[in-house]
Amino acid sequence: MKIAIGSDHAGFRAKEALKASLTTAGHQVEDLGTRSEDSCDYTDFSFAVAESVSKKTAERGVILCGTGIGSAIAANKVHGIRAALVHDGFTAEMSRRHNDANVLVLGARVLAEERIMDLTKTWLETPFDGGRHERRVGKIGEYENRC
Ligand code: RB5
């Protein structure tokens, strides 16, 4: 799968580890920064990942910042993005099954690195259930297109 990833300084280390893990697993990873632990704005990298998914350059996106909160708020401003801030296996799975989330957001100051790897794997491998959830997700897109 082609996956865009990005982080701010708080998520930098976890992003580097995740990039290595996803590449080893055979995914094509597009790293949109940041490139160091120097302080930066999570918005810049969140928008970059979200736009890559919105423009279909990448199939999915993963964003890391300290809590994940700011990145999720920013990513959800981008057209067509359903960014899910995930903390555990249940929310990782349900964000795919019920919400067809196309961007995963994780808090690098909340979750251990190993957990980040596990949650990302679950999220990438879980399909959308469709059915009644298709209608609900469709309503989000319809609302977005009216604004
Ligand atoms: C950076 O200090 C921190 O605010 C950021 O990583 C994130 O948690 C924002 O929501």
Side-chain angles (χ1 to χ4, degrees), residues 10 12 15 21 37 41 46 60 63 68 75 91 105 120 132 139:
F12 174 72
K15 171 177 68 68
S21 159
E37 288 187 280
D41 299 334
S46 185
R60 302 271 190 90
I63 309 170
T91 50
V105 189
T120 303
R132 67 189 185 282
K139 285 185 177 181

Side-chain angles (χ1 to χ4, degrees), residues 8-10 42 65-71 109:
D8 70 355
H9 53 286
Y42 60 81
C65 69
T67 59
I69 297 169
S71 293
R109 290 177 176 159

Side-chain angles (χ1 to χ4, degrees), residues 84-102:
L85 175 56
V86 158
H87 295 296
D88 51 35
F90 182 68
T91 50
E93 185 186 329
M94 298 312 280
S95 72
R96 289 289 313 136
R97 287 184 54 193
H98 285 194
N99 313 112
D100 198 19
N102 50 14

